[in-house]
């Protein structure tokens, strides 16, 4: 269903009105076509009209076409932006699902929630969240310090580097600064790779396969 509110429809009588002035809202239901899933997702957001110029084979304009676009601002339940492995701890899975749901409404908040999921990873790996100061009073460790402790404990600089990338971009979201979609999706790729290494030993398994092939064909 697509509806145009009164404040938008009233503008149709303006002498300078054009189709791209239209502001609308939409709501619909989507159903997964995987028979084993069949999940139903409620989607809503903004809609409008955009113009597309058409050209002939010589590159000369021959007209303008208008089409309606839909821009989702809410999906529930939100589809995962990368597969959430059952090997991930429940606390990490929950934070990832919240991050993926927020993606449609607020990119900065979604990025901040990804950063929180990293804190849950460090919790689960036994990395302390607090440490005594010089006076012996417990103080909360920064994410920077916790990542450093993770690297020392695991000798896994690659995952620590991925965590640092998430920390840096996540700080932008936490502080309300703009996070670009390009940075966000690059971050998802890096973070997913780190999670697979930590919980499914992706690189270790690949290395073992390489070594087995080399040994077999020597």
């Amino acid at each position: 269903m697509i509806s145009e509110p009164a404040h938008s429809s009233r503008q149709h009588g303006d002498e300078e009105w054009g189709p791209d002035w239209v502001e609308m809202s939409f709501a619909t239901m989507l159903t997964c076509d995987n028979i084993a899933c069949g999940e139903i997702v409620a989607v809503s957001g903004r809609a409008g009209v955009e113009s597309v110029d058409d050209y002939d084979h010589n590159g000369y304009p021959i007209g303008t076409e208008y089409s309606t676009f839909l821009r989702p601002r809410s999906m529930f339940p939100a589809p995962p932006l990368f597969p959430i492995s059952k090997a991930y701890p429940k606390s990490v899975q929950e934070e990832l699902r919240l991050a993926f749901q927020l993606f449609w409404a607020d990119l900065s908040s979604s990025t901040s929630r990804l950063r929180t999921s990293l804190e849950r990873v460090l919790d689960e790996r036994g990395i302390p969240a607090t440490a005594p100061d010089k006076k012996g009073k417990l103080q909360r460790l920064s994410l920077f310090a916790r990542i450093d402790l993770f690297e020392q404990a695991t000798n896994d600089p690659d995952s620590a580097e991925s965590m640092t990338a998430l920390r840096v971009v996540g700080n932008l979201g936490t502080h309300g600064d703009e996070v670009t979609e390009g940075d966000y999706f690059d971050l998802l790729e890096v973070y997913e790779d780190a999670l697979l290494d930590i919980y499914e030993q992706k690189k270790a398994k690949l290395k073992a396969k390489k070594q087995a092939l080399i040994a077999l064909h020597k």
Side-chain angles (χ1 to χ4, degrees):
M1 179 181 71
I2 302 178
S3 300
E4 183 180 6
H7 71 79
S8 176
S9 59
R10 278 197 301 268
Q11 297 183 81
H12 289 216
D14 192 297
E15 291 182 358
E16 298 182 359
W17 182 88
D20 54 359
W21 285 28
V22 173
E23 296 180 15
M24 298 180 288
S25 296
F26 80 93
T28 189
M29 306 292 282
L30 303 178
T31 303
C32 178
D33 59 6
N34 185 326
I35 298 175
C37 175
E39 181 66 89
I40 298 174
V41 178
V43 184
S44 63
R46 300 297 285 179
V49 177
E50 60 185 358
S51 60
V52 179
D53 293 328
D54 196 13
Y55 299 87
D56 65 16
H57 64 281
N58 292 316
Y60 292 104
I62 57 176
T64 300
E65 295 184 354
Y66 293 91
S67 60
T68 300
F69 67 84
L70 305 178
R71 183 170 293 117
R73 302 299 292 175
S74 173
M75 286 198 185
F76 186 83
L81 299 179
F82 61 67
I84 300 177
S85 170
K86 293 182 179 179
Y88 303 163
K90 293 295 184 183
S91 60
V92 176
Q93 293 184 35
E94 289 171 3
E95 295 294 343
L96 288 174
R97 290 192 181 95
L98 285 171
F100 297 156
Q101 186 172 326
L102 283 167
F103 166 76
W104 302 97
D106 189 331
L107 196 59
S108 291
S109 295
S110 176
T111 307
S112 180
R113 186 60 70 170
L114 288 175
R115 186 183 187 279
T116 302
S117 76
L118 174 55
E119 295 273 10
R120 301 292 81 80
V121 170
L122 294 172
D123 291 343
E124 186 275 333
R125 304 309 282 183
I127 304 302
T130 60
D133 60 17
K134 294 180 180 180
K135 296 181 179 180
K137 184 178 180 180
L138 282 180
Q139 61 177 358
R140 183 168 181 79
L141 292 174
S142 67
L143 184 53
F144 174 87
R146 297 190 75 195
I147 292 172
D148 187 50
L149 289 175
F150 170 86
E151 184 173 1
Q152 293 176 35
T154 62
N155 192 28
D156 185 358
D158 287 342
S159 293
E161 186 177 40
S162 298
M163 291 178 176
T164 297
L166 176 52
R167 177 184 65 82
V168 171
V169 179
N171 283 345
L172 294 177
T174 301
H175 298 147
D177 296 321
E178 182 180 2
V179 178
T180 67
E181 280 199 8
D183 286 344
Y184 182 87
F185 282 106
D186 285 345
L187 182 62
L188 286 184
E189 184 177 355
V190 168
Y191 190 34
E192 179 188 13
D193 189 60
L195 288 174
L196 289 173
D197 281 342
I198 293 170
Y199 292 107
E200 296 189 3
Q201 291 76 52
K202 177 183 174 183
K203 288 180 182 176
K205 290 178 180 177
L206 185 59
K207 184 176 181 179
K209 287 181 180 179
K210 291 177 183 177
Q211 291 174 339
L213 286 170
I214 292 170
L216 182 65
H217 296 286
K218 272 187 175 180

